[in-house]
Structures are given as structure tokens and as C-alpha cells.
Amino acid sequence: MATRLASIFSPVRSPTSAPAHLLHRALPSFSHRRAHPSQSRMSSSSAASSAPPAAAAAGGEKPAVAPYGSWRSPITADVVSGADKRLGGIALAGDGRLLWIEGRPEEKGRMVIVKEEDNPVDVIPQEFAARTLAQEYGGGAFAVDKSVVVFSNYKDQRLYKQTLGIGAPPVPLTPDYGAPNVSYADGVFDPHFSRYVTVVEDRRKDSLNPTTTIAAIDLSGSDVHEPKVLISGNDFYAFPRIDQNKKRIAWIEWSHPNMPWDKSELWVGYFAESGDLAKRVCIAGGNPLLIESPSEPKWSPKGELFFVTDRGSGFWNIYKWVEQTNEIVPVYSLDAEFTTPLWVFGISSYDFLGNSDHIVFSYRQKGRSHLGVLDCDSGSVSLLDIPFSDLSDVVASDDYFYIEGASASIPRSIAKVTLNESKTKVVNFSIVWSSSPDLVQYRPFFSTPELVEFPTSKPGQKAYAYFYPPSNPNFQGLADEKPPLLVKTHGGPTAETRAILDLSVQYWTSRGWAYVDVNYGGSTGYGREYRERLLDKWGIVDVDDCCSCARFLVESGKVDGQRLCITGRSAGGYTTLAALAFRDTFKAGASLYGVGDLTLLRAETHKFESHYMDNLVGNERAYYERSPINFVNQFTCPVILFQGLEDKVVPPDQARKIYNALKEKGLPVALVEYEGEQHGFRKAENIKFTLEQMMVFFARLVGKFEVADDITPIKIENFD
């Protein structure tokens, strides 16, 4: 196991398990394509379970009575880690078939480009991985034009060209600088000059403050070329998008201290015959009296520029630029969000259906996604009904499109949706790819999320969460007992948790835990006003909302007020640590690569987020007073910390300082460090180990029960 543990930890042995008969049920009424071989590979232990079969309860036998938290479940940590496949983007090849990037935990998180066929095929060889480190979070790692794919290779960060179907190895397009210090993202093919136009992040001179530009890479020959800078001078760029009809390019740019969702600008440039920009115009975001954050520019088949922005209403809606009059006109207005915050490159929340005047789009409203088709000529909108309740990226052809989605019972998937001739109704829906096609066998154990509105600490104000009650057909809790609660705080903090099937949630609920995922003030999906609740108040509003949600569930009689635990990743890890340092609501916590020292984070984090906290925290005094590391004396309960040693967003010293301080204070504490992991764990063995150790940590210290799984716990300082 590629895991580095402090020497004080006892060795870990793999849990044993015995086979069980599991229910196999079909997906609801839609077709499911044959899975790519990589989608069905699972470790031998993940296919087995020590849980009794679900059929026992379904067949009329009474569920066994056992303490909450102690229930046996077939949703093991092996199953969870094997099901944690990621999506890294989608695109259409020239033959109309889909290409996608999938992350494979069983291959240590390798990101692989896959092409849709009767039996999907890997596009890139085993020694390559399609992943960019631009802005640390990456995204937009590949693009395709007809049969040519250009992708960013993870190991050396160079761009490579791969031609589909010929079996030849990828050909490098960009220079080898001797180290992976130059990254490329969000690229597009330029039909006017036979080149590839992309965002470039150059870290050769300064890794903490790299230069970001939009540059072009020549595709006309077989030689490697130095990128030619087209656009430079600002701190950040995204979405270079080229008009297929005229020699024009649109892009988004922004500058410190703003994040792209705070304030950004949409520009259009006009190419000269040389390929350089002869003229550029700011389309949106340039008016200092109108705060907006334009995103996702796209040229229509007619050469009109569409984009999404949140001017006026504070909700990201679709607009169009009328070049002749230099006007911005709304295309479709709604108190809903038609895009998401630009954490990763390559977002595609809407697309044009072939050469028609129809746009397929999705939006978020009141915690649910909706899908529709807009007829730009008539202005009419047709809402489409598909099994997904959560939607993200979409790419479209003439009368069909592919869309990423999920629901409370369907894992993250890609579906092909075919429309009728008028493009107003769905005539066929089929799953092309699933992050875990085998999950349907566990459906009897799934907990269905309940949308919860709860009062915040501010009178009259509400916040939102998804509550998952304990659920297992073979068990029920003791009559005089309420379940323990795990509160999840999402990362970002500018992000949104969604009610989709997540086995890492079901791992807890199927063992008798209650689980709540909180969209605290500052979350996205509810408009700019809700998003800006966190300005100057990070560490206050988010913490208060998580505590308020837990108390609300206790007062509602749903959970045990003496067994409240909290966890979070990254910014959610900060909220977790802050809740443990500055409130007394929770009895234990688990921080995954969480922030402990805001001042240190600001000094050491990467360029993209180097000024992010200035708007979230405020002055120097607030930086000190809201950093949990400065108030370790106020911690009163056990903490377990998990940290990747190659994390450049939250450096490992943060977790180590918290660990050492709590150890010295005498509180039960444990630290797990993973070699080779960055910001977020990608390796199956580490995902599994984290989940199991968190479970047994909480069980030993606050649970009042023994876990059913055979897990050897690591040593806990000041406890073992």
C-alpha cells in the first residue's frame, strides 16, 4: 500500500470477508450499454460481503435488532473505493461517437481517454494519462477534432496528438522543458490557422506565481513548436473559444483578488492574417458599476456569441452578444443557475444541437437539476424528462446529446439522449458509461436523501442540507436509541453538495449512521446573494450553519445529540476543524487535507487561490482569530487527520501542526499521511483506508458500538 504512516501506528491488515448472495435488480426503464472492461473490475474482497443477504428481510423475515452503527453491510470500503471512478471531461469525435476521460482508482487514479464503441476502447496507451495540473485542479485536459485528439499528459504535462483508429503512439506537440513545469488546459482547434489554442500555465520561473496566457501550438507539421502567445497580461484566462465562421476568438479573464465567480470579463478578439490579434473588445464585466461573472462563451453555428452571466438578478443565466449594436440581450432568464463555479477548466453546461438554432441546457434550482431545449428563434423552451436529477456537462450533435448526470439511485453516469424531430421530447435514453455499473445490486441498502431547510443563527434566514437516515433491510435500531450523526461539510467553500448516489455516504447509512450533507451559506446553486453570505465570514457562517443543522436534526428527534461527528475535505476540512475549535456541538471530527492555518495557507497555496481568502476572511486579525491552529487549547474532542504529501493546495505542514499540538494537549488524535497523493485521494487503497479508519475512529471514541467490519485500527495518541 502506497501509504506512509507515522511510526507510532500499528500495522494494518486487510479485512477478511465471506461471500454473500446479493440482490441483482435492473436499472429503471432505460437501456444500459455493455460496460467497458475497466468499469466492472473490482477487487476480490469487494465482490464479497459478510452481510446477510438482503433477501432475508425482503422475504418476510424480521430485521435483526442491533445498535445503530454496528450493522453489517455489503457496501464495504473495497466496494466504495472501486466505485470511485471519476469523470474528467467529454467530447464528440467526428463520427458522432463520444470520448470521455475516466479516472481509475485501481490504476492508482490514472485518467484514461475512452471512446464509445460497442465495446468501449482506450484511446491512449497504458503509459499515458490525460490530466493537466493547470491551476492545480485541472480540467479541460483534451479536445478532439474529427479523428484527431490533443491531450495533456500527466507525467510530463506536455501536449500530445493522438489519431483515432490507426494504432500509432501519441506524438508530442510541445517542448520538453526537463520538468513538468508548463501545463496546458481548455484547448480548442483553430480551423483558420491549423493550430491548437489553449490556456498555458508556466511555472518555470515561479511555481507560486506562474504566468498564465492563451497561446497557439502549430499543428501543420510534425515538429515540436514553442507555443506562440496570443493573449497575455492578466492573472488568469479560461474558455478560449473560436468562431468557426469568422476569424474571431472569445475568452474569459480575471485578476486578483477576484475568483472567476466574483468578477470576471468576457472579451472578443479579431485575428489578423498573421494569426495574431489585431483588435479586442470587452463584451461583459468591464463596467465597474455592474458586478458580474461571465462564463462559458460559445459561438453558435451562425457565428453569434452566447454566454452565461449573473448580471442584474444574481443568477447565472444565458445571454447573447449582438455585435452590430454591441448589446447584451437575455436569452433565457430564471432565478436559477445555468452554470457552476469555474473550479476546473472545460465546463460545458449548454450546447448547440448541430447546425440548428436550438440549445440544450441544464440549470440548478432549489437543489435539483433541470434539463431543457431552447428554440432561439421562437424563444420557446421545452423541458425534458430523464431519470437524472443532477446534471453537469453536455455535448450535442444534431438530434441527440450526451450528458453527465446522476440521481439518488443512479451513480455518476453519462447518458445518450435522443430527441424527436421537433427537438421537444426525449425518444430514447441510454446509459453509455457508469462510474459503477454494479451498484444496482446494493439498491435495497440505499438511503434516500431528504431535502432539509433549517433555520440559521440569523433570525428569519434559512440554509439547506440533504439528510440521509440509516437504511439497511436486515437491521433496525434499538427501541430506546437514536442513531449517531455524521455531518459532512463540502469543500470549496464555493461549491455545492448534491443529492446523488454516493457510496461513501451509503457506507455510513447502511451501517446505521445518520448522515447530513450541508449546503451552508456561501454554497453555490442558490444565486449570488446566498453565495456571498460567506464574504468576510468564512469560519463563522459555515460553522454556524453546520452546527445549526446538527441541532435542528437533534431537536427533530432524528439523531442522538450525544453522538454528533463532523467531517470535511479541503475547505470542508477547515470548517470541520473550526467547528471543533470554536464550538462545542460535536464530539469528534475527521479532517481530510483540511486547512488549519489560514495565514500559512495564504502564504503557501497556489496562484489560483492565493487571494481567494482575502474576500472570505478579511483583515489580519480575522486570519489569526479564525485559524484553528492558534486555538488548540479550545479543542475538547478527538480528531483524526488524513493528508496527501504532494498536496500543493493545503501543504502537509497544516495537518502535522494540528496533530502535534493536539497530541501535546493530551487529546486523542491520529494522523495518516499518504505518499503520492495530492489534493484529493485518487488511489483505491487510500480511499479504502481513509473510510475504514474514520469509521473505526468514531466508533471507538464516541459510537458506543463495535463495527461489524474486520478492521485493524491505527494507534490513537492519548487513547491507546
Side-chain angles (χ1 to χ4, degrees), residues 580 586-589 634-639 662 667-668:
L580 298 176
F586 300 101
K587 306 303 180 183
Q634 295 182 196
F635 279 78
T636 58
C637 66
V639 182
L662 293 179
L667 281 177

Side-chain angles (χ1 to χ4, degrees), residues 598-619:
L598 294 173
T599 302
L600 184 63
L601 179 67
R602 179 175 58 172
E604 294 186 351
T605 198
H606 58 140
K607 177 185 176 183
F608 179 55
E609 294 182 85
S610 59
H611 292 268
Y612 182 28
M613 292 175 296
D614 292 346
N615 291 328
L616 293 176
V617 180
N619 57 38

Side-chain angles (χ1 to χ4, degrees), residues 140-153:
F142 85 113
V144 59
D145 180 43
K146 300 181 178 64
S147 63
V148 176
V149 177
V150 172
F151 69 95
S152 176
N153 184 43

Side-chain angles (χ1 to χ4, degrees), residues 92 298 348-353 358-361 394-397:
L92 283 183
K298 288 187 179 180
S348 180
S349 303
Y350 70 100
D351 202 5
F352 298 95
L353 285 162
H358 291 76
I359 295 175
V360 58
F361 61 84
V394 59
V395 292
S397 187

Side-chain angles (χ1 to χ4, degrees), residues 163-490:
T163 302
L164 297 172
I166 66 171
V171 177
L173 295 174
T174 54
D176 181 357
Y177 297 112
N181 291 329
V182 179
S183 297
Y184 309 86
D186 213 6
V188 291
F189 289 83
D190 183 350
H192 308 297
F193 297 98
S194 185
R195 61 189 181 179
Y196 189 74
V197 176
T198 179
V199 175
V200 182
E201 184 179 84
D202 190 339
R203 301 179 295 277
R204 285 176 293 175
K205 292 183 179 179
D206 190 340
S207 61
L208 286 181
N209 189 33
T211 300
T212 305
T213 60
I214 294 177
I217 290 96
D218 188 4
L219 297 176
S220 59
S222 58
D223 296 333
V224 169
H225 295 279
E226 189 74 29
K228 179 182 180 181
V229 174
L230 300 177
I231 302 165
S232 62
N234 213 332
D235 292 316
F236 302 99
Y237 296 95
F239 293 113
R241 298 295 182 260
I242 295 174
D243 179 10
Q244 298 288 311
N245 301 288
K246 299 179 182 179
K247 295 178 180 179
R248 298 182 293 178
I249 181 174
W251 71 90
I252 298 294
E253 63 180 62
W254 68 99
S255 57
H256 288 314
N258 296 308
M259 299 300 283
W261 49 82
D262 294 325
K263 190 177 190 303
S264 57
E265 296 175 353
L266 168 62
W267 287 75
V268 167
Y270 298 80
F271 292 126
E273 290 304 314
S274 64
D276 293 321
L277 285 184
K279 175 187 174 184
R280 62 186 72 190
V281 179
C282 184
I283 304 303
N287 183 352
L289 301 179
L290 180 62
I291 304 300
E292 61 178 324
S293 53
S295 183
E296 290 201 57
K298 288 187 179 180
W299 298 97
S300 75
K302 290 182 178 179
E304 296 178 306
L305 182 63
F306 288 72
F307 62 100
V308 177
T309 191
D310 57 349
R311 59 171 52 196
S313 70
F315 287 91
W316 277 312
N317 285 186
I318 301 176
Y319 288 78
K320 182 175 75 172
W321 175 51
V322 182
E323 184 178 18
Q324 293 78 5
T325 59
N326 195 29
E327 287 181 284
I328 303 298
V329 296
V331 174
Y332 189 44
S333 300
L334 199 65
D335 284 352
E337 302 280 51
F338 284 74
T339 189
T340 57
L342 203 166
W343 279 108
V344 297
F345 290 106
I347 298 168
S348 180
S349 303
Y350 70 100
D351 202 5
F352 298 95
L353 285 162
N355 292 315
S356 72
D357 292 314
H358 291 76
I359 295 175
V360 58
F361 61 84
S362 67
Y363 63 83
R364 295 285 292 174
Q365 189 176 50
K366 296 181 180 178
R368 182 182 173 88
S369 293
H370 302 268
L371 180 67
V373 173
L374 168 68
D375 184 335
C376 294
D377 285 342
S378 67
S380 64
V381 170
S382 302
L383 293 181
L384 306 178
D385 185 21
I386 62 174
F388 294 154
S389 59
D390 180 271
L391 303 167
S392 48
D393 288 350
V394 59
V395 292
S397 187
D398 293 330
D399 60 352
Y400 65 89
F401 59 89
Y402 294 88
I403 190 160
E404 297 177 24
S407 74
S409 59
I410 304 172
R412 180 62 60 189
S413 306
I414 305 173
K416 181 179 181 180
V417 183
T418 305
L419 301 174
N420 61 357
E421 188 174 350
S422 62
K423 299 178 173 59
T424 57
K425 292 183 179 180
V426 173
V427 295
N428 189 59
F429 177 95
S430 61
I431 297 290
V432 174
W433 177 90
S434 172
S435 59
S436 188
D438 298 325
L439 293 196
V440 290
Q441 63 187 302
Y442 306 113
R443 179 164 294 163
F445 295 85
F446 293 164
S447 175
T448 301
E450 305 168 10
L451 179 61
V452 174
E453 283 190 22
F454 61 91
T456 72
S457 58
K458 184 176 181 179
Q461 189 183 76
K462 299 279 188 180
Y464 309 94
Y466 296 106
F467 175 71
Y468 298 79
S471 178
N472 186 316
N474 300 316
F475 291 97
Q476 65 184 30
L478 304 178
D480 59 349
E481 183 191 24
K482 295 187 186 305
L485 173 70
L486 182 59
V487 174
K488 160 81 176 308
T489 64
H490 67 68

